[in-house]
Amino acid sequence: MKRGLPVLLTLILALVLLGGCRESHSEEERAMEARERFLAAQGCTFQAEVTADYGDKVYTFSMDCQGNDMGDVAFSVTAPDSIAGITGSLSGQGGSLVFDGQALAFSLLADGQVSPASAPWLLLHTLRGGFLTSYSQTEEGLLLSIDDSYEADSLHLDIWLNEAGAPTGAEVVWAGRRILSLQVSNFTFL
């Protein structure tokens, strides 16, 4: 009986480890399926609440967003009222803002790499082609950790996906500090 105990413990340990590998594989599959869905979609629509953290000041605003099949984003600011109605578009080549007597006067973040208004574009751009560094299941959903490029000064995004593979939130980190966060709602693939 004593001889059978080590064999039994070895089998139990192997089953536990294999079960853990299966769960991890499932998370990996979900991460890859999410990327494939973003690349195959004709576009998407969503609302985003963006918070920009400058260290000494924090700004929050809301936007209605629409992404196309290339990852470009058109947006309309919906809150606060003082800047509501400003519209814009963003792509990998740049962006534009349209306003009537109003302006978005946010300073650039991450040594001039990103504007707070570009947060929705950065989310889609990174989901479509960033460097996936890790993934794990959390209470908030599947957490993808993705760098926006292979460069030394890349932006790091932690992105949460719901069961349907749609983003529900993200944090943008640069040089070890969270500079932007997004709360995403009503995400729909087109």
Side-chain angles (χ1 to χ4, degrees):
M1 185 118 188
K2 287 184 181 181
R3 235 186 220 171
L5 188 59
V7 172
L8 181 61
L9 288 175
T10 302
L11 286 172
I12 292 171
L13 181 60
L15 289 173
V16 168
L17 290 175
L18 287 174
C21 291
R22 195 171 329 130
E23 179 63 31
S24 178
H25 183 66
S26 174
E27 292 166 358
E28 180 181 15
E29 284 178 347
R30 288 178 52 212
M32 294 300 105
E33 288 170 0
R35 167 141 313 149
E36 290 172 12
R37 185 156 189 203
F38 275 92
L39 292 172
Q42 295 299 306
C44 59
T45 61
F46 59 99
Q47 283 80 47
E49 181 179 275
V50 178
T51 301
D53 185 348
Y54 288 90
D56 58 340
K57 293 183 181 177
V58 175
Y59 299 98
T60 301
F61 57 98
S62 299
M63 317 164 85
D64 285 336
C65 305
Q66 182 167 352
N68 67 18
D69 61 344
M70 300 301 293
D72 302 335
V73 174
F75 67 86
S76 176
V77 177
T78 57
D81 289 339
S82 59
I83 59 173
I86 293 176
T87 61
S89 62
L90 300 157
S91 71
Q93 289 72 42
S96 67
L97 291 175
V98 178
F99 50 91
D100 183 23
Q102 305 170 34
L104 290 176
F106 296 119
S107 300
L108 295 176
L109 295 158
D111 277 349
Q113 290 188 64
V114 64
S115 160
S118 66
W121 175 83
L122 183 60
L123 172 69
L124 294 183
H125 169 74
T126 304
L127 279 167
R128 290 173 53 84
F131 175 63
L132 181 64
T133 60
S134 68
Y135 45 85
S136 62
Q137 184 62 46
T138 68
E139 288 182 17
E140 293 83 20
L142 180 64
L143 170 62
L144 305 179
S145 294
I146 307 174
D147 291 341
D148 77 323
S149 73
Y150 295 105
E151 303 296 323
D153 64 345
S154 67
L155 297 168
H156 176 82
L157 279 75
D158 286 330
I159 303 169
W160 287 267
L161 303 179
N162 63 20
E163 288 297 319
T168 58
E171 292 185 348
V172 181
V173 176
W174 183 76
R177 189 175 79 77
R178 184 186 69 203
I179 57 173
L180 291 170
S181 62
L182 291 89
Q183 294 299 317
V184 178
S185 59
N186 300 319
F187 191 95
T188 304
F189 286 104
L190 301 176

